[in-house]
Structure formats: structure tokens, C-alpha cells
Amino acid sequence: MNNHQFRHRQTAHCESGVISNLLGHYGLQISEPMAFGIGAGLFFGHLPFVKVNGVPGTTYRIWPGAIFQRVCKRLGVKMELAKFSTPEKGMAALDKVIDTGTPVGLLSSVYYLPYFPPSYRFHFNAHNLVVYGKREGQYLVSDPVMDTVTEIDPVSLAQARFAKGFPAPKGKMYYPVHVPDKASFEKPIKEGIEQTCHYMLKIPFPMFGVKGIRFLAKRVKDYPEKAGERKAGLYLGNVIRMQEEIGTGGAGFRFVYAAFLQEAATLLNKQELSLLAGELTKVGDLWRNFAFSAGRVCKSRSADNVSYRELSEMLLQCAAAEETFFRKLAQVRF
Amino acid sequence: MKKDEVPQDGDNLHEGTFKQIMYAVDNSGSYVQVQSAGWEPENIALSQAWDEVNEKVAAAKVLVQSGEISPVAYYMEKCLMDLALLANYVGKFQWQVKRHMKPAVFRRLSDTMLQRYADAFKISKEDLLHIK
């Protein structure tokens, strides 16, 4: 569709970052927070039954791929999407598309991406990146969480794209085939906000949304007794890791969403949203305080019940603040 | 979070290789992107996760050397895999992989099967047979 060089911009999160960079390439300028907001990326869930390496899972965002689908649908972008049965087919298809000068989004496993520092390479299979060309046998990569563009050898890329485990990326690749020249953000913003409020306030299960934060709070309080000292530390560590690490970021997501509300306020000329952005910033700071204290507890390895009870209290505060915030946000009339 | 509160706690795990983006509020109250070198809680949680991995690897190594388990179990820990993931990589059932962790069974594995394990762990067959 056009031939100019792909422009890499570093972002906080891989999925919203890839959307922002890919659509920007086709002239549809959308910031990362705007993509995150329209895609209703903010969420909370705590799933004690879904264990990764024996540790209960916590998420601060919507499941992988959801932001993408929603943004494309709401903005009228058409994506070509493909999965493959073998690495050979997948790599051949990728070569064919980038030969035409089209940047391609790829789903991959962080474990096999050599440009990440070794300490970050866990088996996380839902990382998004863009390959925008090939030079001397190396693929040119724009990974939105890295400061600069980088390169990757074909063997590593094939391994990353065809990693096993859950969810298996199966070489998933995607690229826009139709991007509207001009899209109105008004309706998509409204729909995104409504959806986020719904997910945070109205899911009838205790593990999700604001209820989910309270659910986690209750669990954290009992960690030292129920899981034992050692496991309590690991469980807590994972709550922080899911909150702060690469491509995730819990408090971080609150700030991204606040940035979205601020941008939306200007765009729709609605002062209300800007005030709410300020409020969400404060909620994000509460999450930061929680992570900070939780980190200290992990480090001291003291599994005394007092500290875990205090952390539980902090989570309850986060829950209360988020509930107030989302109730107000749900009241905004467009 | 204000712009000047964006954490800049570098650490050994990051090795200064890259910085992450965070969104923070500038003096006029507008959100801007700021680079962060890392943050203490994240660093603690990450190093704790690695301590756990390293402990498991060290424990597995001792068991391999004393002849109680096969190198398959050791490399599984070393590659951060669990039974399900490893079974998936070598195309076997979990119970079969578990069996291959018995030294007596491991010794009788065919060359093809050993090669599959070596490939899954991205090591040579030689390294698979003799752990360092």
C-alpha cells in the first residue's frame, strides 16, 4: 500500500504498541494509549486454578489478542491473519509478504528472542513484534518494547514463532489489507470505555474486575498459613511480576489508560474525562505503593502474618478506589 | 506517577541492556512517555524467580550426579520447562517423558529419541549424555 520505511516507536506494551506502529505506517495515526483505550485493554483477573509453574496467575489486562481485534473492528481496519502447520510454510509466507514491502506483525515466544536480556527470557508465548524487512539473511525487527529496531536470525525467529506450550503461537502473522484514511475516534472511544466499565464492574464471577482485586486481597492475607512461607513469597513475587514486567505492567496499565482518557478528553472536548484521568493516576499510584511494599516483603522473606495482612489491606484500598473510579466513568454521557 | 518519580533502579539482571517506557505526568499535568531503567519491586520479583529456577537446577544436578534421575530432568529445569511443555516439544506423552527421567530407561533410549531431547533443549547429544 505504500513504500516508505517503517517507523519504529518504543511503547510500554507490545500489543497496543504493535497496533499503533502498524496502523501509523498506513497513515492512521493512533497513539498507544488510544489503541489501548479503544481496545478496552484495562482489566483485572486473579485465577488461582490456572497455575504457571505452580504459581497462581494474575492479570492486569485483557487476554492477548483482544485489544487487537477490538481496535480493528471499531476503526474499520481489515487484517489478513494467518497461522501455519509447519515452520517452513510459516517462514515462506512471511518472506513472501515482506518482499512486497509490507510490515508484518508476528506472535512469538519471548524465550527464543535473542535480543532480550537473558533474565527476561521466560516461556511467554504471546509477545507481539513487527518484522518489516530482510537484510543479508537477517530479519529486521521492530519490537515495540525495545528502544531501537533490531535484527534476528531466521532460526531463532522460526523457533520463537513456532514455540510450543500454551498458547502456541503457531506462526501467527498479521498485516493490514485495508486501513481507512481517516477514522473517527468518537464512537470507538465511547464503545471502548463502556466495555472496560462492563468488564471491571459487571462480570458475575468473583475472580474478575474490581471483585477480582478483593478476591486476591483475601487470598494474599492467607498466603503464609495456606501456602507456607516459601510459596507465599513466590506467589507474591508473581503478583508483582505480572504487575510490572515487560509487556505487562499493572500500575503501568492504569497510567496508560489515564493517558488515554486525557487524550479522549481533548478529542471529544469533555473536561470530565480529564478529571477522571487524574483520579486514575492516583489509583495507579496506589498500585505502585502496593508493589513497593510487596517487593520489600518478598525480599525480607519474612512471612509474618502482619505484613501479608497489610498488603491485603492495600489491595482492598486499590479495589475501593477502582470501584469508585469505574462507577464514575460508567456515568459519563457522550 | 509524576515524571520525576519514574523509577530508575538499574540492576544486574537488566545489565543496562535496555530501558522500558512508562507513562507519567509532567509539570503541566499531561501524560508523557518516560524511559525507566528498572524498578526495585520488579527487580526483586525477577531475581526471586531466577533464584527459584537456579535452586531447582542445582537440586536436579545433584540428583543426576548421584544417579537418581536422568539428565532429561536436569535440562528440563535448566530450560525453564515443565513436564507438559517438554512432552509437547519431544512429541511424547507426559508419562513417557517422566519414564525417560529414570536413569535406567534413559540409558536405553534410541539415538533418535536422544536427538529429539537434544533439539528440544538446544544442546548437542554429547551435552545431553554428560551434563557439565
Side-chain angles (χ1 to χ4, degrees):
Chain A
M1 275 186 269
N2 70 35
N3 292 318
H4 60 83
Q5 179 68 272
F6 187 76
R7 189 164 153 250
H8 171 82
R9 271 174 307 186
Q10 191 185 8
T11 57
H13 170 55
C14 67
E15 194 173 330
S16 44
V18 163
I19 301 170
S20 166
N21 282 343
L22 264 187
L23 297 186
H25 182 73
Y26 293 102
L28 181 64
Q29 297 305 330
I30 175 168
S31 69
E32 180 190 19
M34 191 47 81
F36 187 75
I38 289 177
L42 199 75
F43 188 51
F44 184 90
H46 178 68
L47 295 162
F49 329 108
V50 183
K51 292 197 177 177
V52 183
N53 289 320
V55 180
T58 309
T59 179
Y60 296 83
R61 47 159 288 182
I62 209 73
W63 49 86
I67 303 178
F68 216 96
Q69 283 172 354
R70 294 165 178 177
V71 169
C72 290
K73 202 174 148 215
R74 290 188 176 140
L75 293 181
V77 174
K78 262 183 101 164
M79 284 275 174
E80 180 73 29
L81 225 143
K83 282 189 178 186
F84 305 92
S85 52
T86 66
E88 291 73 30
K89 283 184 199 163
M91 294 309 275
L94 173 65
D95 284 343
K96 216 173 136 193
V97 180
I98 53 176
D99 266 352
T100 65
T102 308
V104 180
L106 297 175
L107 205 62
S108 54
S109 163
V110 177
Y111 188 76
Y112 297 105
L113 297 175
Y115 55 81
F116 269 111
S119 57
Y120 276 90
R121 290 165 63 184
F122 285 87
H123 291 278
F124 172 68
N125 281 357
H127 185 65
N128 290 279
L129 53 87
V130 174
V131 164
Y132 63 95
K134 204 174 179 182
R135 191 169 53 209
E136 290 158 12
Q138 302 279 309
Y139 287 94
L140 306 175
V141 174
S142 154
D143 189 314
V145 302
M146 306 295 288
D147 337 18
T148 55
V149 290
T150 161
E151 293 184 2
I152 188 170
D153 61 284
V155 176
S156 301
L157 184 61
Q159 281 166 359
R161 292 181 65 199
F162 289 89
K164 301 265 166 76
F166 182 80
K170 293 202 173 116
K172 185 171 166 186
M173 65 179 217
Y174 48 86
Y175 52 93
V177 284
H178 170 75
V179 180
D181 294 332
K182 240 183 147 38
S184 158
F185 287 169
E186 210 157 304
K187 195 161 161 253
I189 288 173
K190 184 178 156 247
E191 287 173 351
I193 289 178
E194 272 170 9
Q195 192 170 29
T196 306
C197 291
H198 182 86
Y199 275 70
M200 287 304 290
L201 296 171
K202 297 212 167 126
I203 297 184
F205 292 99
M207 299 82 105
F208 304 113
V210 170
K211 284 198 281 279
I213 307 174
R214 298 208 171 96
F215 182 68
L216 174 65
K218 225 156 90 192
R219 294 244 155 196
V220 165
K221 196 174 66 197
D222 299 336
Y223 275 168
E225 281 152 45
K226 292 219 168 128
E229 189 169 330
R230 186 186 157 75
K231 278 209 161 159
L234 282 176
Y235 286 9
L236 195 59
N238 196 53
V239 173
I240 313 173
R241 268 180 68 207
M242 291 300 111
Q243 186 178 333
E244 294 306 328
E245 220 159 277
I246 268 190
T248 53
F253 283 138
R254 269 62 194 163
F255 297 136
V256 177
Y257 202 78
F260 155 69
L261 289 178
Q262 210 170 57
E263 212 181 311
T266 319
L267 220 75
L268 307 180
N269 201 9
K270 265 202 174 304
Q271 190 53 28
E272 253 177 305
L273 292 179
S274 177
L275 293 174
L276 283 168
E279 216 166 289
L280 186 58
T281 303
K282 289 193 188 121
V283 180
D285 286 332
L286 286 179
W287 278 109
R288 262 168 53 87
N289 290 341
F290 164 75
F292 197 74
S293 306
R296 289 283 158 95
V297 171
C298 279
K299 199 177 182 182
S300 68
R301 290 175 186 252
S302 70
D304 60 90
N305 300 346
V306 182
S307 49
Y308 279 82
R309 207 177 310 133
E310 276 167 10
L311 291 175
S312 172
E313 287 294 324
M314 294 179 95
L315 282 172
L316 289 177
Q317 277 173 21
C318 290
E322 281 205 1
E323 180 156 23
T324 316
F325 165 79
F326 281 107
R327 292 220 180 278
K328 280 190 202 162
L329 185 62
Q331 292 296 318
V332 177
R333 292 283 157 258
F334 293 92
Chain B
M1 178 171 56
K2 298 219 172 66
K3 202 175 158 185
D4 51 12
E5 292 168 356
V6 171
Q8 303 292 351
D9 310 329
D11 73 313
N12 311 332
L13 289 175
H14 244 112
E15 289 157 11
T17 37
F18 81 111
K19 291 184 168 180
Q20 285 166 251
I21 287 288
M22 289 196 170
Y23 286 83
V25 183
D26 69 7
N27 290 334
S28 65
S30 309
Y31 265 96
V32 285
Q33 283 194 337
V34 187
Q35 282 195 325
S36 160
W39 191 34
E40 186 191 290
E42 183 194 345
N43 297 339
I44 293 172
L46 193 56
S47 63
Q48 181 191 258
W50 279 105
D51 285 347
E52 176 73 8
V53 170
N54 293 336
E55 269 172 44
K56 278 188 182 165
V57 172
K61 194 172 187 178
V62 173
L63 290 178
V64 173
Q65 280 160 347
S66 64
E68 280 169 69
I69 56 170
S70 82
V72 168
Y74 165 77
Y75 281 110
M76 181 180 88
E77 298 292 357
K78 204 169 157 66
C79 295
L80 314 180
M81 292 180 180
D82 56 15
L83 195 58
L85 188 59
L86 178 56
N88 211 327
Y89 268 108
V90 294
K92 289 278 162 190
F93 292 110
Q94 293 187 27
W95 63 267
Q96 290 174 302
V97 173
K98 227 173 182 169
R99 246 185 103 245
H100 296 165
M101 289 179 181
K102 293 183 182 167
V105 179
F106 179 74
R107 272 193 294 275
R108 294 200 307 269
L109 286 183
S110 69
D111 267 6
T112 338
M113 198 58 231
L114 288 176
Q115 192 58 53
R116 267 206 244 172
Y117 276 111
D119 289 344
F121 300 135
K122 316 265 178 268
I123 52 171
S124 67
K125 220 161 69 186
E126 187 58 27
D127 282 343
L128 178 66
L129 293 170
H130 308 281
I131 71 165
K132 284 192 199 102

